[in-house]
Every structure is written in structure tokens, then in C-alpha cells.
Amino acid sequence: MTQNLIDQMRPQDEHQYILDLRKKSGESFYQKYHTEFIDIVCPACGEESESVFQRYFFNHKKCKKCNTLFCSPRPPENLLFEYYEKYEAPNAWTTMLLKTDAVRKAMQYQPRVELLINVIKQNYINPLSSAFDIGAGSGAFTLALQNANYFSEVLAVDITDSCIEACQKIGLKTIKSSIQDLPDTSTDYIGLNDLFEHLYNPKEFLQECLRVLRPNGVISIASPNGEGFDFKLFKENTVNITPPEHLNYFNPHSIELLLRNNGFEILYLETPGRLDVQIVCRETLKGYDLKKENEYLYHLFFEKDEQMQDKFQDFLAQNCLSSHLLVIAKKI
């Protein structure tokens, strides 16, 4: 296993600083605004759910039908904008992403773009011409799209000034806009990378995607898998559970259910994560007692050779058990 992959993508000291900052920002935000939060039903299927834990004071529920994990009650969109504009944690995360863009592009985004184009070519006779990367952030995925030379137009879309500036610095065509302000039938492809978990209302967002996409347009969603390995192991202590930044944790079944019920046909679905085992190993080295909690996993990860870690990570990815999912779907 590439031992330092997680350190390259999430440098340990800086990542720990951000995790501490997320806790501080999340708790402060909750204490100031929680009386204005809104209780919601399951964002995937609308069915009954039950409370399972709290994180940074935020209540989290799990759907009894599709197992979607989600934050409820949750802040409405106007308060989420307030959080991203005025609290420290989101900007600190963006700063770290900018520093690690080269590794992220090579390990995540370039392979994802290659897979996307292959899926499109397998399902479409004529090439798609326009691509929007919504919530483009630092622009690493948008740049990978542009460098693939498949789409004739590639546009980075974001709502924050710092992200727009970051995209412009690397020569990307950018627009500061929410999806609600984009024109009807204006693109063939929408990329949503590490955005879906942030949305107040994923169903309404998908309806906007349908409006913006041209006939038979394609959407891809990369998001945490709430039924993935480290979620199952660490539960509420999973490093990816960071309200109010992250609100939704779909799984392969529930994301498929949501897409099918909102005008999309699934073309491809996998959990291509590469960091699950390294996340668990990092937490163990920081003090998590893996040997006590799961002696067999400790044996595999720390008492066998490093190839066992690679094999176990491959097993997770190949069986849709990684904590990172990717789905590609088309508008119908």
C-alpha cells in the first residue's frame, strides 16, 4: 500500500487542525442557530427514521427503509450560506485541498474522468459537448475534465469567491452561480464532486439538475457512503461526519433509489475509495484501540504484511463497501 497516500491528501497535522476547527465551528454554529433548524424526512426515500447519535450537538437519524444516515433537524439554506461565508472551518478545508490538488488529481480526479468518458462512450453514439463542474472548489476536477479534451466546453461553477479565484488562477472558465441561476438545458454533463453530502435538499437539487441538463444529459455524483467501512467501524466518530458541512450520507442502494425516483437512469455505480484502511490505521496510531474493538482487523492491518492492507482495500472497493461512492446516471 502507498503508505503516505493519506498523508499526501490529508497531511496529518493540518487535517487534525481542521477536524478540531470543524468541531469548534460546528458547535458554535449549533448553539447560535439551532432553534431555526428544520426537521426533515429521509432525503433519499422520505420514509420513517430514528435518531442514532449526535455529533457537534447535531442530531443524526437513520432511515429504517434505505439506511440513509442524515442530519435532522438541519439548518436551512440561508444559514448554510452563513456558515460557509463566516466560519473558519470551510476556508481551512479549501486551503488544504489547494495544497494537495496535484495528488488528488492524479489519484482521484484523472481516473474518475477517464471512467466517466468511457461510460459515456459506451452509452452514447455522439460525444457530449458541454460540461459543468458544480461546486468546483479548487478546480482540480474541472481541470482534469478540461485536460481530457473530450468536452468542447468545460465550466467551473461555484458560489464562493475564494473558489472562483482558485479556478481562475489555473486558467479555467468560471462562473459564480448557484444551480438555480443556471439556464435551462444549458449543458450535457453535470459533475458533483463532494457536494451532495452538503445539500439541504438533495431531491430539489436533482430537479434543478434535470432542468439544466439537455435531453439525455449525464450526471455524476461522488459522495461519502454512509454504509462504508470506516462509517461502520467508527460510527459517530467517523472523521467524515462533520455537520453542518456534511448533512447527508447516502449508500449505494439509497443513492440509486433517489436518482431513479427523480428522473435518472443509472449507468454506473461503484465505491472506488482508496483510503478506508489508511483512515483506520491512522486513527489506530492516534489512539483508537482497534485491537480491543476488532482483534481480527488489527491482525490484518498491523500483524500481516502490507500487501494485506492493499488486498483488503481492493476487497472493499470491489464489493461496494468502501466509504466513498461514485454514481453516473443519465436524464430520462
Side-chain angles (χ1 to χ4, degrees):
M1 173 171 286
T2 306
Q3 283 291 319
N4 63 349
L5 176 57
I6 191 171
D7 292 324
Q8 292 178 62
M9 296 179 70
R10 303 175 184 177
Q12 185 162 349
D13 290 344
E14 188 170 1
H15 189 225
Q16 186 59 52
Y17 168 76
I18 292 170
L19 291 176
D20 293 340
L21 195 57
R22 280 175 161 175
K23 182 177 186 295
K24 177 183 175 182
S25 295
E27 290 180 349
S28 173
F29 180 84
Y30 178 91
Q31 290 169 344
K32 184 174 182 179
Y33 293 114
H34 72 274
T35 57
E36 300 178 52
F37 287 9
I38 299 170
D39 201 11
I40 69 160
V41 296
C42 172
C45 68
E47 293 295 327
E48 185 180 356
S49 59
E50 60 182 355
S51 295
V52 287
F53 59 75
Q54 291 185 344
R55 176 81 158 173
Y56 309 162
F57 305 130
F58 289 76
N59 187 55
H60 289 73
K61 296 181 177 180
K62 195 164 192 176
C63 179
K64 294 181 179 180
K65 179 180 179 181
C66 71
N67 287 334
T68 296
L69 177 67
F70 61 100
C71 181
S72 177
R74 61 177 55 185
E77 284 189 340
N78 65 305
L79 291 183
L80 289 175
F81 286 132
E82 176 99 357
Y83 178 79
Y84 285 106
E85 288 179 0
K86 296 186 178 180
Y87 283 75
E88 294 179 79
N91 283 333
W93 181 253
T94 300
T95 300
M96 189 183 75
L97 291 182
L98 286 169
K99 291 180 181 178
T100 59
D101 264 356
V103 178
R104 200 172 301 275
K105 180 173 178 290
M107 296 303 301
Q108 286 186 321
Y109 296 148
Q110 188 170 325
R112 191 178 301 170
V113 168
E114 292 172 359
L115 171 65
L116 168 70
I117 294 172
N118 285 335
V119 171
I120 291 173
K121 288 179 177 179
Q122 290 170 10
N123 289 274
Y124 292 82
I125 297 174
N126 297 316
L128 305 184
S129 63
S130 172
F132 289 180
D133 182 17
I134 298 181
S138 63
F141 181 77
T142 321
L143 185 61
L145 279 175
Q146 182 171 281
N147 290 343
N149 294 316
Y150 175 80
F151 297 97
S152 57
E153 176 193 43
V154 176
L155 183 66
V157 182
D158 209 289
I159 60 173
T160 62
D161 290 331
S162 60
C163 292
I164 292 296
E165 290 172 8
C167 291
Q168 290 174 339
K169 282 182 180 178
I170 57 175
L172 296 172
K173 183 179 179 181
T174 65
I175 179 173
K176 184 179 180 181
S177 175
S178 67
I179 192 168
Q180 289 85 356
D181 295 326
L182 294 174
D184 293 357
T185 59
S186 53
T187 191
D188 298 300
Y189 165 72
I190 290 175
L192 305 172
N193 293 281
D194 305 312
L195 173 68
F196 222 60
E197 62 269 30
H198 298 260
L199 299 176
Y200 170 76
N201 192 324
K203 181 177 179 179
E204 287 187 0
F205 195 92
L206 283 179
Q207 292 300 313
E208 288 295 322
C209 289
L210 282 175
R211 178 186 62 79
V212 173
L213 283 171
R214 293 167 184 158
N216 297 312
V218 173
I219 186 173
S220 71
I221 299 171
S223 185
N225 171 18
E227 290 285 279
F229 180 61
D230 58 273
F231 278 83
K232 288 293 191 182
L233 191 62
F234 295 134
K235 300 179 175 62
E236 67 269 25
N237 295 317
T238 306
V239 294
N240 236 331
I241 297 179
T242 58
E245 294 182 44
H246 292 178
L247 301 172
N248 314 293
Y249 308 93
F250 297 97
N251 56 67
H253 168 65
S254 67
I255 195 76
E256 183 173 354
L257 188 67
L258 177 65
L259 285 163
R260 289 189 185 279
N261 289 339
N262 286 279
F264 289 92
E265 175 186 336
I266 307 299
L267 299 178
Y268 185 88
L269 193 153
E270 67 169 351
T271 65
R274 301 305 307 164
L275 295 181
D276 302 76
V277 172
Q278 292 192 40
I279 288 171
V280 173
C281 290
R282 173 183 276 191
E283 292 303 303
T284 301
L285 294 173
K286 286 166 56 179
Y288 176 74
D289 196 346
L290 180 63
K291 191 170 187 178
K292 177 182 176 181
E293 298 295 331
N294 195 311
E295 185 177 357
Y296 187 63
L297 287 179
Y298 183 88
H299 171 66
L300 293 181
F301 297 166
F302 289 97
E303 297 177 344
K304 301 290 284 184
D305 60 60
E306 292 178 5
Q307 289 184 346
M308 182 59 70
Q309 294 184 15
D310 280 326
K311 291 176 181 177
F312 195 90
Q313 184 64 56
D314 289 341
F315 164 79
L316 294 175
Q318 292 165 8
N319 291 278
C320 274
L321 299 173
S322 166
S323 292
H324 180 75
L325 67 82
L326 172 66
V327 59
I328 301 171
K330 75 172 183 178
K331 175 181 175 179
I332 55 176

